[in-house]
Amino acid sequence: MLYPLAETTECDFKRELETKKPKSWLKSVSAFANGIGGKLIFGIDDSGEIVGIIDAQKSAEAISDLIKTRITPTPQFVLTLEKEQEKSVLILTIEAGRATPYYYKADGIREAYVRIGNESIVAPDYILNELILKGKNQSFDALTSDVRKEDYSFTLLEATYYERTLLKMEPKDYFSFCLADKKGYLTNAGRLFADQYIVYNSRVFCTRWNGLEKGSVFDDALDDKEFEGNLIYLLRSASDFIKNNSKVRFYKDVEYRVDKPDYAERAVTEALVNALIHRDYIVSGSEVHIDMYDDRLEISSPGGMFDGKAVQEHVITDIGSMRRNPVIADLFHRMKFMERRGSGLKKIISETEKLPGYNESLKPIFYSDGSMFRVVLKNVNYETTKVSDKVSDKVSDKVSDKVSDKLNEKEKCFFNVLMTLAKQHDFVTTKVVAEAAGMPEATTRRYLAKFSKMDIIVSDGKNRNKKYYLNNTSATETNP
């Protein structure tokens, strides 16, 4: 058998069998049973060197006996004996259990363990609560609360359901969709879809940072918003925040204009839906965090992968559908906010790959540990933006020299306003320029038409929908 080079989430080495202090290895038995399973290998030290077990048969009997007497309920396990370098090695394989939590119980102690990295630690309260629900084949969102449906409204849910399905949501549907029981009490899922804010953890914190790292919200945040309440409201508000703090650039093809958004809209939606559906609502005082930087967008949610394994240890295309909150997931699926179950992460990748300017270095990143899940989407225009800013400056300087003697004083002032706006935005409109220049829109349109004829700017669209862009091709004309 080939052994791992080091201890991992699914493997633990033990130099020898501790019978006087069995907790040293039984906690790993508990952790493996509470997670994705794993192996304990006796006869190998922490460095991976094979030292062997002296009396393998006696050790195997002791292992079996200690598991049955000190781990409750008893997990499924298999013991095998192998010979390596003429030394005996015992391999204890623990299956992922269904009757969670599995406790270590002895000497007045009753503790459940989970695996974090290569360590077995006592399960925090929120993970223990989730293990209890898992063992009962229940989920947080399906639990009935003491809140009556009649005391709250569901206007946004019903309007959105009709908008996206063309079906009216009937009173009976609340029971069918597991949003309320037959007595009219809301489930936790029902509480999360109420118009009112009645689940404290149902929050999204959004920040657009100035630069590439976090800083002080007061000094280094360009935009900062906090949203709370209904899940549909959170999805829409978070989407709007990201849209308002990202840009859609463009380049001219031979026959048409090609838009280049910073992020794929569908990928963003999938990442937000994933965060709201699969997050752990049991974690006290928690929320989804959206952090936008110049070069990336990060969406972090409480709770790791539901199967206990880190997402970076998975092959993304092979991840199946395991849902922490199946009631919420089902309703989002009915409203067509998400693709078929289990395809969200793949959709994030495939939609990002469609963006103009995409390359492998811009592939989305997924990371999780025992307490959080993060999606990182990279701004496909970041490098282009840095170059574009430099080009804009050169264009502005060269064009200023080129047209200065052809303009009167009012036109020069207008030109300076136009160049300032062109550097700050991807495009400008007549209304925006008119307000900034402090002149009537009719006069503004006349000036814009003049600068268009001079090839300083280019236009797209008609009438009030017309947009004006800085003509960066003049950079190559004036700066060979």
Side-chain angles (χ1 to χ4, degrees):
M1 175 181 179
L2 294 175
Y3 302 109
L5 296 176
E7 295 177 326
T8 65
T9 305
E10 302 167 59
C11 184
D12 210 350
F13 296 156
K14 297 298 174 185
R15 181 182 181 89
E16 57 187 1
L17 175 63
E18 287 275 5
T19 54
K20 292 184 178 179
K21 296 181 180 179
K23 185 180 178 181
S24 63
W25 57 273
L26 282 173
K27 62 183 183 181
S28 292
V29 174
S30 166
F32 288 143
N34 285 325
I36 59 175
K39 296 179 184 294
L40 270 166
I41 305 178
F42 296 91
I44 298 182
D45 64 18
D46 291 343
S47 66
E49 182 181 351
I50 299 173
V51 295
I53 292 290
I54 296 175
D55 192 336
Q57 182 59 40
K58 184 178 179 180
S59 295
E61 292 173 358
I63 290 171
S64 180
D65 183 60
L66 285 166
I67 291 176
K68 292 175 182 177
T69 57
R70 301 203 181 188
I71 300 294
T72 180
T74 303
Q76 290 186 322
F77 65 93
V78 176
L79 265 170
T80 55
L81 174 65
E82 293 201 8
K83 291 283 188 179
E84 291 286 344
Q85 302 173 12
E86 298 183 355
K87 297 175 183 178
S88 297
V89 175
L90 272 174
I91 303 171
L92 172 62
T93 303
I94 308 296
E95 299 293 332
R98 294 184 177 180
T100 56
Y102 291 85
Y103 293 95
Y104 169 80
K105 187 178 180 181
D107 304 322
I109 298 174
R110 188 171 183 265
E111 296 173 326
Y113 288 81
V114 290
R115 198 77 172 162
I116 302 295
N118 63 351
E119 292 185 288
S120 299
I121 66 168
V122 176
D125 288 343
Y126 70 91
I127 293 182
L128 181 60
N129 290 334
E130 189 169 273
L131 288 172
I132 291 171
L133 290 176
K134 184 179 177 181
K136 294 179 178 179
N137 197 29
Q138 294 179 327
S139 61
F140 167 80
D141 60 347
L143 294 179
T144 304
S145 71
D146 59 356
V147 175
R148 293 194 63 83
K149 176 181 177 294
E150 63 188 19
D151 295 332
Y152 296 91
S153 62
F154 295 85
T155 306
L156 180 57
L157 170 61
E158 292 179 2
T160 305
Y161 186 80
Y162 180 78
E163 174 191 332
R164 300 187 68 86
T165 67
L166 298 181
L167 298 173
K168 183 178 180 181
M169 197 163 176
E170 304 291 344
K172 64 180 181 180
D173 291 331
Y174 284 88
F175 173 71
S176 300
F177 299 163
C178 201
L179 299 178
D181 66 9
K182 290 184 177 180
K183 295 180 180 179
Y185 287 95
L186 292 175
T187 62
N188 286 327
R191 295 167 65 212
L192 286 163
F193 282 103
D195 292 331
Q196 295 77 16
Y197 175 41
I198 53 178
V199 178
Y200 179 71
N201 290 341
S202 186
R203 305 179 296 179
V204 177
F205 290 179
C206 307
T207 310
R208 171 58 169 101
W209 299 100
N210 183 17
L212 305 182
E213 301 295 336
K214 286 184 180 181
S216 165
V217 172
F218 301 105
D219 300 325
D220 301 305
L222 300 176
D223 195 4
D224 181 39
K225 297 285 192 304
E226 295 182 8
F227 306 105
E228 54 191 30
N230 180 292
L231 293 184
I232 299 171
Y233 166 73
L234 294 184
L235 174 61
R236 290 180 174 176
S237 299
S239 296
D240 288 343
F241 181 89
I242 293 171
K243 188 176 296 185
N244 292 337
N245 283 282
S246 54
K247 296 182 178 181
V248 178
R249 307 176 195 281
F250 86 102
Y251 66 89
K252 285 282 188 178
D253 206 337
V254 177
E255 298 181 354
Y256 53 85
R257 191 188 81 184
V258 178
D259 289 333
K260 291 185 62 181
D262 290 347
Y263 307 100
E265 184 176 355
R266 186 65 207 179
V268 170
T269 300
E270 286 287 344
L272 289 173
V273 168
N274 184 76
L276 294 172
I277 286 178
H278 299 299
R279 62 154 294 187
D280 192 342
Y281 287 92
I282 299 176
V283 183
S284 179
S286 62
E287 61 276 325
V288 172
H289 281 262
I290 296 173
D291 293 291
M292 298 186 70
Y293 305 88
D294 290 355
D295 66 337
R296 69 194 187 280
L297 161 66
E298 296 186 1
I299 301 175
S300 305
S301 54
M305 291 285 286
F306 189 51
D307 65 1
K309 188 175 183 179
V311 67
Q312 57 269 24
E313 296 176 9
H314 282 279
V315 177
I316 299 299
T317 54
D318 294 340
I319 294 179
S321 178
M322 295 189 69
R323 296 166 293 160
R324 177 178 276 111
N325 299 297
V327 177
I328 299 173
D330 180 66
L331 190 51
F332 267 84
H333 177 68
R334 289 175 185 271
M335 292 188 289
K336 301 179 177 64
F337 280 120
M338 57 183 288
E339 297 287 330
R340 61 183 177 82
R341 297 166 181 83
S343 66
L345 302 188
K346 289 178 281 189
K347 191 71 174 178
I348 292 171
I349 294 174
S350 64
E351 290 297 318
T352 301
E353 289 174 341
K354 296 176 184 177
L355 288 172
Y358 173 84
N359 59 61
E360 194 65 19
S361 69
L362 299 170
K363 186 173 183 178
I365 297 173
F366 305 102
Y367 172 84
S368 72
D369 55 27
S371 61
M372 60 80 68
F373 188 98
R374 179 181 296 129
V375 177
V376 180
L377 301 177
K378 298 182 181 181
N379 183 343
V380 299
N381 290 316
Y382 174 62
E383 291 299 329
T384 304
T385 302
K386 291 195 297 184
V387 174
S388 178
D389 289 342
K390 293 179 181 179
V391 169
S392 294
D393 290 338
K394 291 181 179 179
V395 169
S396 179
D397 293 341
K398 283 289 185 179
V399 171
S400 294
D401 296 338
K402 182 179 179 181
V403 304
S404 180
D405 57 346
K406 299 180 182 180
L407 305 178
N408 59 40
E409 289 304 314
K410 285 187 178 181
E411 289 172 335
K412 288 179 181 179
C413 290
F414 179 87
F415 173 77
N416 291 332
V417 171
L418 179 62
M419 288 297 102
T420 299
L421 291 173
K423 292 178 185 179
Q424 294 174 344
H425 307 280
D426 290 326
F427 64 86
V428 294
T429 62
T430 301
K431 183 178 180 180
V432 169
V433 180
E435 290 177 353
M439 60 175 54
E441 290 191 19
T443 305
T444 301
R445 278 193 288 272
R446 188 171 70 251
Y447 283 2
L448 289 171
K450 179 172 183 176
F451 289 122
S452 292
K453 289 181 180 179
M454 297 174 70
D455 289 329
I456 296 171
I457 54 176
V458 293
S459 62
D460 183 60
K462 295 182 179 180
N463 302 325
R464 293 187 177 182
N465 295 322
K466 183 175 286 189
K467 300 175 182 178
Y468 296 90
Y469 304 82
L470 183 65
N471 187 5
N472 285 344
T473 57
S474 60
T476 57
E477 295 170 0
T478 58
N479 293 277

